[in-house]
Amino acid sequence: MLWFDFGLALAVCLSALYVPGLILMASMRMNIFPSLALAPAVSCFLMSAACVLLPMFGVFADWVSVSLAIVGLLVLFVLAGYLFRKKTRLNDWPKDSFSLFGLSCRTSRGIVLALALCVGVGTGAAFFLTAIQAPDSFFQAFDNGHHINGIALFVDLGNWSSFGGGFYPSCWQAYAAFVSSCTGVAAPLAINVVNFCFSFIVFPVSMVFLSYVLFSDKPFAVLASCVLATAFVAFPWRLLVFGPIYPNLAALAVTPSAIALFVDILNRIEAKGFDSHIVVGIVLFVFSAVALFFLQPNSIFTSVVFLAFFCCSYAARIVCNRFGASSGKAALLRVAAFVTCFVAIVAIWLVLHNTSFVQNLFGEPGYLLFGKAEAVKHAIALSFTSNNPQYFLVLLCVVGVVYSLFNRKYFWITASCVLSMILFVVSVSDFNEAVRNYLTGAWYHDAFRLAANAVLPCVLLASLGVFAIADLLVSGFKLGMKKQLCNVFGCALLLLVLLLAYIPLDSKYPESSAFGSIRSEISKAYSTNQAYCILTKEEISFSEKVKEIVGDDLVINVPDDGSVFLYGAEDINVYYQTTRIWDPSSEDWESAALRLRLDEFDSDSEVRNAVEETGASYVLLLDEGATADDQSQAWFFTWRWYADWWDGITSITEDTPGFELILSDGDMRLYRIESA
């Protein structure tokens, strides 16, 4: 039954991600390939705009009201498009510009889309869906308490805006809330559905679209990117088991399509000048940039890093073509334009980093995992934050780098890759604090995010590498090789790449490979086995019985024992929905009294007043008698530091006056507060 719910929720999520964007671009007469690639970015823009607007008008947000708001925005934009569009197709590449195996452009694009989706969905099913214990299993890590409870709060309170309580990019949460609101599934299942869509459907198509824009004259490189888009463990796989930082995962999945649109706009300006197509393209790019901001703002900085050398090369080429006369003057102009553009990008970067929004991120320490030399080795081996190198992909990337040295048109991709690797090394090792702040502060100095960023240029270089190998081999065997045989050879090479990139070669020790290891990590992270999780299978079963007793009444809890997840996962109205009081100096007096002295309820009038003010009726302990020194089970890291913050609750036993034990099993207890 749960897998049926998963399938239904998947259909709802895909509809929300693709239908609004496809409708808008259909009104612009855009071709299906760019439409499918750009639709999630446009839909995310519409979703974010709708979620911001609804509370401004006092409208309760649910899947119906959000859908109607999106429809209203669509009508406005479609009408505006009809006023300004001309009877030509937008972003329609020449029909003879892309051909696989001698097939038509339309058929070739269809093959590319189909292969990208097959590999993306297939690998997602093989290494993610089969690894999680159930469709509603969830990663029991610190940040996920915020995600799960935040989604449930969205559904219950009806305010999905990113500005609901100060700014927080909540587009990813809005999609999970939309799925939960529409289908009735709990937040954990909705999270898995949304993550699957972004990781294994949106990202592969988005990445292949970027490859298509860059390599349309090299169809085999585009085809190779279909196979390689999800082959790098650092993204999207690693972000499924770290943090979790799901908003960052969703943002990075959309980023390649926004980058592709930017590149295509500049290329069109260079080729045809400024026309109505460019205007609409710029509008779509603005929509995409706003979507990235509401998904995770640091994806905009990721785009800047990726595009910096493209922009510099583009500026050099434009200036040279327009003003260069003699070869000596052309070379001088190229250098001047390149340097000027680079200085301008650095200046903009510094201005953005001096805003209070980014400055607030500088205090995050990040993860100092390696020394500088070791960090470089991990980057070159593409193992990044893990210990599982991907040497086959390294080989393909090296071939791609060598190819870019001979075909300078693509050298900027190599430069972008090197820059991304440098940022990773800076983030993961002990560099000067000021250098770390200005280079990696936008990503919280987080090596996992920066490793994920590096995957984008790596996919392109590896795809170029496959193309170069195929071209070299076909040229070497050219004697008497017919066209049909070349096609068979190309398909065989792609199949080999697919096998070597994903399948563990050592059947006895599959976990020694990158994908064998990540599948094992996913299995552990999404497990309810006592050894790996905080909220165990037994505690979930106990919580289900608790829900039957308490209904919607407020339950005082110790969040570090796993009960932090119960609001979003089991619909239990627990009082503490985060594992840490971020600023005790501004904490409500009721909360402080409950945490520190609830066990004195019978004798302390202030505690009784706190209970009355909050309306609490029950106390839940999932690990009665546990201490910070207990090593027998998993805990949040906050428990090790702040266990004494909860002494007033953990000290309660069945002998404590004012509390009646009404449910127990092992070390799990539910008490009723007698006055309640």
Side-chain angles (χ1 to χ4, degrees), residues 284-304:
L284 288 177
F285 177 73
V286 171
F287 286 179
S288 299
V290 173
L292 292 180
F293 179 77
F294 282 105
L295 283 165
Q296 173 50 264
N298 68 41
S299 59
I300 296 175
F301 288 89
T302 299
S303 302
V304 172

mmCIF file of all heavy atoms in Angstrom, residues 284-304:
data_model
loop_
_atom_site.group_PDB
_atom_site.id
_atom_site.type_symbol
_atom_site.label_atom_id
_atom_site.label_comp_id
_atom_site.label_asym_id
_atom_site.label_seq_id
_atom_site.Cartn_x
_atom_site.Cartn_y
_atom_site.Cartn_z
ATOM 1 N N LEU A 284 12.768 34.201 -19.180
ATOM 2 C CA LEU A 284 12.825 32.840 -18.635
ATOM 3 C C LEU A 284 14.044 32.664 -17.728
ATOM 4 O O LEU A 284 13.972 31.967 -16.711
ATOM 5 C CB LEU A 284 12.867 31.820 -19.769
ATOM 6 C CG LEU A 284 11.573 31.619 -20.556
ATOM 7 C CD1 LEU A 284 11.797 30.632 -21.706
ATOM 8 C CD2 LEU A 284 10.459 31.125 -19.649
ATOM 9 N N PHE A 285 15.156 33.305 -18.104
ATOM 10 C CA PHE A 285 16.345 33.210 -17.259
ATOM 11 C C PHE A 285 16.111 33.893 -15.912
ATOM 12 O O PHE A 285 16.538 33.383 -14.866
ATOM 13 C CB PHE A 285 17.553 33.836 -17.959
ATOM 14 C CG PHE A 285 18.795 33.837 -17.115
ATOM 15 C CD1 PHE A 285 19.483 32.655 -16.879
ATOM 16 C CD2 PHE A 285 19.260 35.004 -16.526
ATOM 17 C CE1 PHE A 285 20.625 32.636 -16.076
ATOM 18 C CE2 PHE A 285 20.388 34.994 -15.730
ATOM 19 C CZ PHE A 285 21.078 33.811 -15.505
ATOM 20 N N VAL A 286 15.429 35.026 -15.922
ATOM 21 C CA VAL A 286 15.101 35.713 -14.666
ATOM 22 C C VAL A 286 14.207 34.820 -13.807
ATOM 23 O O VAL A 286 14.409 34.694 -12.587
ATOM 24 C CB VAL A 286 14.428 37.066 -14.941
ATOM 25 C CG1 VAL A 286 13.891 37.678 -13.653
ATOM 26 C CG2 VAL A 286 15.407 38.027 -15.600
ATOM 27 N N PHE A 287 13.204 34.176 -14.433
ATOM 28 C CA PHE A 287 12.352 33.232 -13.705
ATOM 29 C C PHE A 287 13.208 32.137 -13.057
ATOM 30 O O PHE A 287 13.007 31.774 -11.893
ATOM 31 C CB PHE A 287 11.341 32.582 -14.647
ATOM 32 C CG PHE A 287 10.205 33.477 -15.061
ATOM 33 C CD1 PHE A 287 9.226 33.019 -15.923
ATOM 34 C CD2 PHE A 287 10.106 34.777 -14.590
ATOM 35 C CE1 PHE A 287 8.169 33.831 -16.307
ATOM 36 C CE2 PHE A 287 9.060 35.603 -14.972
ATOM 37 C CZ PHE A 287 8.088 35.130 -15.836
ATOM 38 N N SER A 288 14.159 31.613 -13.827
ATOM 39 C CA SER A 288 15.018 30.534 -13.329
ATOM 40 C C SER A 288 15.884 31.012 -12.168
ATOM 41 O O SER A 288 16.065 30.288 -11.174
ATOM 42 C CB SER A 288 15.907 30.003 -14.457
ATOM 43 O OG SER A 288 15.135 29.487 -15.512
ATOM 44 N N ALA A 289 16.422 32.235 -12.281
ATOM 45 C CA ALA A 289 17.272 32.770 -11.214
ATOM 46 C C ALA A 289 16.474 32.977 -9.928
ATOM 47 O O ALA A 289 16.957 32.678 -8.827
ATOM 48 C CB ALA A 289 17.902 34.089 -11.665
ATOM 49 N N VAL A 290 15.241 33.474 -10.067
ATOM 50 C CA VAL A 290 14.379 33.637 -8.889
ATOM 51 C C VAL A 290 14.064 32.277 -8.274
ATOM 52 O O VAL A 290 14.050 32.120 -7.046
ATOM 53 C CB VAL A 290 13.084 34.386 -9.272
ATOM 54 C CG1 VAL A 290 12.116 34.417 -8.091
ATOM 55 C CG2 VAL A 290 13.397 35.802 -9.729
ATOM 56 N N ALA A 291 13.824 31.283 -9.124
ATOM 57 C CA ALA A 291 13.565 29.924 -8.627
ATOM 58 C C ALA A 291 14.758 29.406 -7.836
ATOM 59 O O ALA A 291 14.593 28.817 -6.755
ATOM 60 C CB ALA A 291 13.255 28.988 -9.794
ATOM 61 N N LEU A 292 15.964 29.622 -8.352
ATOM 62 C CA LEU A 292 17.164 29.182 -7.636
ATOM 63 C C LEU A 292 17.276 29.885 -6.292
ATOM 64 O O LEU A 292 17.673 29.283 -5.289
ATOM 65 C CB LEU A 292 18.411 29.460 -8.475
ATOM 66 C CG LEU A 292 18.578 28.632 -9.749
ATOM 67 C CD1 LEU A 292 19.871 29.018 -10.471
ATOM 68 C CD2 LEU A 292 18.582 27.142 -9.450
ATOM 69 N N PHE A 293 16.916 31.161 -6.243
ATOM 70 C CA PHE A 293 16.980 31.916 -4.988
ATOM 71 C C PHE A 293 16.048 31.311 -3.945
ATOM 72 O O PHE A 293 16.411 31.186 -2.774
ATOM 73 C CB PHE A 293 16.605 33.375 -5.247
ATOM 74 C CG PHE A 293 16.620 34.225 -4.003
ATOM 75 C CD1 PHE A 293 17.813 34.670 -3.468
ATOM 76 C CD2 PHE A 293 15.432 34.572 -3.371
ATOM 77 C CE1 PHE A 293 17.828 35.453 -2.317
ATOM 78 C CE2 PHE A 293 15.430 35.346 -2.230
ATOM 79 C CZ PHE A 293 16.636 35.797 -1.698
ATOM 80 N N PHE A 294 14.848 30.910 -4.361
ATOM 81 C CA PHE A 294 13.884 30.352 -3.416
ATOM 82 C C PHE A 294 14.125 28.867 -3.132
ATOM 83 O O PHE A 294 13.560 28.325 -2.180
ATOM 84 C CB PHE A 294 12.460 30.569 -3.918
ATOM 85 C CG PHE A 294 11.951 31.962 -3.700
ATOM 86 C CD1 PHE A 294 11.856 32.865 -4.749
ATOM 87 C CD2 PHE A 294 11.587 32.390 -2.431
ATOM 88 C CE1 PHE A 294 11.404 34.150 -4.552
ATOM 89 C CE2 PHE A 294 11.124 33.677 -2.215
ATOM 90 C CZ PHE A 294 11.031 34.572 -3.277
ATOM 91 N N LEU A 295 14.927 28.214 -3.958
ATOM 92 C CA LEU A 295 15.339 26.842 -3.660
ATOM 93 C C LEU A 295 16.515 26.838 -2.690
ATOM 94 O O LEU A 295 16.470 26.205 -1.644
ATOM 95 C CB LEU A 295 15.709 26.106 -4.949
ATOM 96 C CG LEU A 295 14.546 25.622 -5.811
ATOM 97 C CD1 LEU A 295 15.025 25.255 -7.204
ATOM 98 C CD2 LEU A 295 13.854 24.415 -5.162
ATOM 99 N N GLN A 296 17.587 27.539 -3.039
ATOM 100 C CA GLN A 296 18.758 27.712 -2.190
ATOM 101 C C GLN A 296 19.636 28.771 -2.848
ATOM 102 O O GLN A 296 20.216 28.528 -3.914
ATOM 103 C CB GLN A 296 19.521 26.408 -2.018
ATOM 104 C CG GLN A 296 20.848 26.499 -1.279
ATOM 105 C CD GLN A 296 20.782 27.249 0.036
ATOM 106 O OE1 GLN A 296 21.081 28.444 0.084
ATOM 107 N NE2 GLN A 296 20.397 26.574 1.114
ATOM 108 N N PRO A 297 19.769 29.952 -2.248
ATOM 109 C CA PRO A 297 20.505 31.059 -2.881
ATOM 110 C C PRO A 297 21.936 30.729 -3.282
ATOM 111 O O PRO A 297 22.464 31.317 -4.223
ATOM 112 C CB PRO A 297 20.461 32.160 -1.817
ATOM 113 C CG PRO A 297 19.227 31.867 -1.029
ATOM 114 C CD PRO A 297 19.127 30.365 -0.999
ATOM 115 N N ASN A 298 22.596 29.807 -2.574
ATOM 116 C CA ASN A 298 23.994 29.542 -2.928
ATOM 117 C C ASN A 298 24.136 28.926 -4.314
ATOM 118 O O ASN A 298 25.233 28.905 -4.878
ATOM 119 C CB ASN A 298 24.694 28.681 -1.865
ATOM 120 C CG ASN A 298 24.191 27.264 -1.768
ATOM 121 O OD1 ASN A 298 23.918 26.607 -2.780
ATOM 122 N ND2 ASN A 298 24.081 26.748 -0.551
ATOM 123 N N SER A 299 23.031 28.423 -4.895
ATOM 124 C CA SER A 299 23.105 27.894 -6.259
ATOM 125 C C SER A 299 23.392 29.001 -7.265
ATOM 126 O O SER A 299 23.926 28.739 -8.353
ATOM 127 C CB SER A 299 21.816 27.167 -6.623
ATOM 128 O OG SER A 299 20.695 28.026 -6.531
ATOM 129 N N ILE A 300 23.057 30.235 -6.919
ATOM 130 C CA ILE A 300 23.393 31.371 -7.792
ATOM 131 C C ILE A 300 24.905 31.572 -7.795
ATOM 132 O O ILE A 300 25.519 31.821 -8.846
ATOM 133 C CB ILE A 300 22.660 32.641 -7.328
ATOM 134 C CG1 ILE A 300 21.146 32.434 -7.472
ATOM 135 C CG2 ILE A 300 23.123 33.860 -8.115
ATOM 136 C CD1 ILE A 300 20.305 33.567 -6.929
ATOM 137 N N PHE A 301 25.535 31.445 -6.632
ATOM 138 C CA PHE A 301 26.994 31.528 -6.564
ATOM 139 C C PHE A 301 27.637 30.356 -7.308
ATOM 140 O O PHE A 301 28.682 30.514 -7.947
ATOM 141 C CB PHE A 301 27.450 31.542 -5.099
ATOM 142 C CG PHE A 301 27.161 32.823 -4.383
ATOM 143 C CD1 PHE A 301 25.961 33.022 -3.731
ATOM 144 C CD2 PHE A 301 28.091 33.853 -4.367
ATOM 145 C CE1 PHE A 301 25.689 34.204 -3.069
ATOM 146 C CE2 PHE A 301 27.841 35.045 -3.719
ATOM 147 C CZ PHE A 301 26.633 35.217 -3.061
ATOM 148 N N THR A 302 27.010 29.189 -7.229
ATOM 149 C CA THR A 302 27.503 28.038 -7.996
ATOM 150 C C THR A 302 27.498 28.349 -9.484
ATOM 151 O O THR A 302 28.459 28.034 -10.211
ATOM 152 C CB THR A 302 26.619 26.807 -7.726
ATOM 153 O OG1 THR A 302 26.665 26.487 -6.336
ATOM 154 C CG2 THR A 302 27.091 25.604 -8.532
ATOM 155 N N SER A 303 26.433 28.981 -9.957
ATOM 156 C CA SER A 303 26.333 29.344 -11.369
ATOM 157 C C SER A 303 27.406 30.343 -11.760
ATOM 158 O O SER A 303 27.971 30.271 -12.863
ATOM 159 C CB SER A 303 24.941 29.930 -11.662
ATOM 160 O OG SER A 303 23.922 29.015 -11.319
ATOM 161 N N VAL A 304 27.705 31.285 -10.866
ATOM 162 C CA VAL A 304 28.749 32.274 -11.143
ATOM 163 C C VAL A 304 30.103 31.587 -11.307
ATOM 164 O O VAL A 304 30.862 31.883 -12.243
ATOM 165 C CB VAL A 304 28.810 33.332 -10.022
ATOM 166 C CG1 VAL A 304 30.024 34.249 -10.218
ATOM 167 C CG2 VAL A 304 27.525 34.156 -9.999
#
